[in-house]
């Protein structure tokens, strides 16, 4: 959940492609935006997709958050200290041509039962932030398409919506990463921080070498992706362009 879903990215690309199509066709035809049948249908279709996406995202976000809070077992990205299974000195492996000399796994995606309430709340909060961010993006796409259809692409409300989207992406994009990191660290401690161990028999009987895996140590993952900041700054720049367009539109209306 550390990034926008592929469906959200597809939606953004679709609306940008629609706007580009409108601009190109209108420049070639010399007509006003929205008067051409083809672009109008494309914009209306994009708006319908955005509305459906927003509705589905709301229900999915609520379902995911409830599942995190109420389900017996939940899926979680479990960070661990870099780990690579080691074999007893008496085991000799044949057939391999290279050896691992450093590094190893640093996380595992697992389904865990028995997590405490705090960890579940952090997981649910991450789902909620991601869902809310995607819904805000979809709503602004709907507003943008509506403005094009109404031949009024520079409404002040749209500019405010773009600014809101930029803020939501920055806050939500970083926020859900923090929630996931905290939840993953808590889950890792609960699953892997053993205080002791015991053995039922004096000898372990392994029938397959892949059963000799060892136990990794609990870890934390505090590396954040800063793409939300750059996307947010880009949208702030787009909002500035729309504000300039509003000024030009007011000046043009004053001359008529």
């Amino acid at each position: 959940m550390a990034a926008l879903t592929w469906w959200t990215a597809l939606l953004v690309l679709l609306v940008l492609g629609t706007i580009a199509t409108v601009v190109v066709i209108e420049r070639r035809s010399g007509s006003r935006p929205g008067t051409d049948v083809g672009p109008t249908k494309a914009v209306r279709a994009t708006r319908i997709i955005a509305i459906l996406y927003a509705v589905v995202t709301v229900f999915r976000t609520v379902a995911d958050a409830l599942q995190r809070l109420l389900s017996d077992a939940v899926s979680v990205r479990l960070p661990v200290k870099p780990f690579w299974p080691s074999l007893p000195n008496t085991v000799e492996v044949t057939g391999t041509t290279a050896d691992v000399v450093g590094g190893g796994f640093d996380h595992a995606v697992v389904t865990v039962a028995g997590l405490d309430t705090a960890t579940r709340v952090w997981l649910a909060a991450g789902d909620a932030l991601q869902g809310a961010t995607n819904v805000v993006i979809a709503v602004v796409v709907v507003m943008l398409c509506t403005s094009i259809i109404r031949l009024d692409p520079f409404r002040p409300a749209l500019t405010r919506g773009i600014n809101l989207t930029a803020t939501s992406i920055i806050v939500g994009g970083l926020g859900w990463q923090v929630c996931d990191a905290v939840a993953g660290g808590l889950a890792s401690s609960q699953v892997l921080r053993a205080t002791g161990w015991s053995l039922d028999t004096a000898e372990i009987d392994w029938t397959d070498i892949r059963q000799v895996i060892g136990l990794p140590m609990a870890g934390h993952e505090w590396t954040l992706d800063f793409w939300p900041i750059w996307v947010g700054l880009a949208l702030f720049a787009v909002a500035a362009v729309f504000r300039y367009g509003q000024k030009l539109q007011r000046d043009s209306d004053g001359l008529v």
Side-chain angles (χ1 to χ4, degrees), residues 101-113:
V101 296
F105 307 115
D106 59 5
H107 76 275
V109 178
V110 295
T111 300
V112 181

Side-chain angles (χ1 to χ4, degrees), residues 23-38:
V23 172
V24 170
I25 292 180
E26 298 303 334
R27 290 190 62 179
R28 289 184 178 181
S29 64
S31 59
R32 297 180 63 191
T35 58
D36 189 273
V37 175

Side-chain angles (χ1 to χ4, degrees), residues 188-227:
S188 183
S189 296
Q190 294 171 49
V191 172
L192 298 174
R193 189 156 292 167
T195 57
W197 63 279
S198 61
L199 191 63
D200 292 338
T201 62
E203 182 178 348
I204 301 177
D205 182 19
W206 285 304
T207 58
D208 190 325
I209 192 174
R210 293 172 182 79
Q211 294 176 335
V212 189
I213 59 173
L215 184 67
M217 298 178 63
H220 296 276
E221 190 174 45
W222 291 108
T223 301
L224 299 180
D225 292 328
F226 291 101
W227 64 264

Side-chain angles (χ1 to χ4, degrees), residues 98-131:
D99 297 318
V100 175
V101 296
F105 307 115
D106 59 5
H107 76 275
V109 178
V110 295
T111 300
V112 181
L115 292 177
D116 62 14
T117 302
T119 305
R120 292 172 176 272
V121 169
W122 280 106
L123 288 171
D127 288 339
L129 281 174
Q130 185 175 21

Side-chain angles (χ1 to χ4, degrees), residues 33-34 43 47 139-159 162 242 246 249:
V43 173
R47 184 174 65 170
V139 169
V140 173
V141 170
V142 173
M143 294 173 59
L144 181 57
C145 293
T146 302
S147 297
I148 294 175
I149 293 173
R150 294 178 178 177
L151 310 182
D152 185 18
F154 298 113
R155 291 187 302 157
L158 182 58
T159 303
I162 295 175
F242 271 76
Q246 293 170 16
Q249 190 175 53

Side-chain angles (χ1 to χ4, degrees), residues 1-15:
M1 294 197 307
L4 289 176
T5 62
W6 67 270
W7 181 237
T8 303
L10 179 62
L11 183 61
V12 172
L13 290 176
L14 180 59
V15 71

Side-chain angles (χ1 to χ4, degrees), residues 57-77:
T57 301
V58 169
F59 284 101
R60 179 177 178 180
T61 299
V62 173
D64 288 345
L66 290 177
Q67 190 268 341
R68 299 283 200 182
L69 294 171
L70 304 177
S71 179
D72 293 334
V74 296
S75 176
V76 59
R77 179 186 171 101

